[in-house]
């Protein structure tokens, strides 16, 4: 679907955002769980690692959302 109005674009971006966040969330949860169980890290280091995982997650989601929306608009294939 090529949006022709801002509302159409907003809907496309919102739907894509939900899909991407749901798709990438299990990976984030796994990373967080692994970090929490890492006995070689202090609690402060664990919190730092988790913060880095979260920032990476948001960056990855943002990149994928832009790629997916642009691919949809431009009619690009895999």
């Amino acid at each position: 679907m090529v949006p022709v109005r801002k509302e159409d674009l907003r809907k496309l971006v919102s739907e894509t955002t939900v899909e991407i966040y749901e798709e990438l969330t299990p990976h984030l949860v796994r990373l967080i769980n692994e970090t929490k169980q890492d006995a070689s890290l202090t609690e402060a280091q664990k919190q730092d690692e988790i913060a880095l995982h979260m920032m990476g997650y948001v960056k990855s989601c943002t990149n994928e959302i832009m790629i997916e929306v642009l691919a949809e608009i431009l009619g690009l294939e895999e």
Side-chain angles (χ1 to χ4, degrees), residues 2-23:
V2 176
V4 293
R5 299 177 329 193
K6 275 182 142 179
E7 185 57 34
D8 296 334
L9 179 59
R10 188 172 288 112
K11 182 178 178 186
L12 176 60
V13 170
S14 295
E15 289 172 357
T16 304
T17 298
V18 170
E19 290 172 14
I20 296 299
Y21 272 77
E22 287 177 352
E23 181 181 313

Side-chain angles (χ1 to χ4, degrees), residues 42-72:
T42 66
E43 285 304 313
Q45 289 171 323
K46 289 178 184 181
Q47 291 305 312
D48 289 346
E49 286 293 315
I50 290 171
L52 289 174
H53 295 324
M54 295 294 293
M55 286 188 286
Y57 170 74
V58 171
K59 179 189 171 292
S60 295
C61 288
T62 301
N63 287 348
E64 286 301 314
I65 291 163
M66 289 189 299
I67 290 166
E68 290 298 320
V69 168
L70 286 171
E72 178 74 24

Side-chain angles (χ1 to χ4, degrees), residues 27-45:
H27 180 66
L28 173 64
V29 170
R30 184 181 53 75
L31 286 173
I32 290 172
N33 286 336
E34 287 174 4
T35 301
K36 285 181 178 179
Q37 295 173 6
D38 189 342
S40 70
L41 299 174
T42 66
E43 285 304 313
Q45 289 171 323

Side-chain angles (χ1 to χ4, degrees), residues 71 74-78:
L74 298 173
L76 303 176
E77 297 180 15
E78 292 295 320

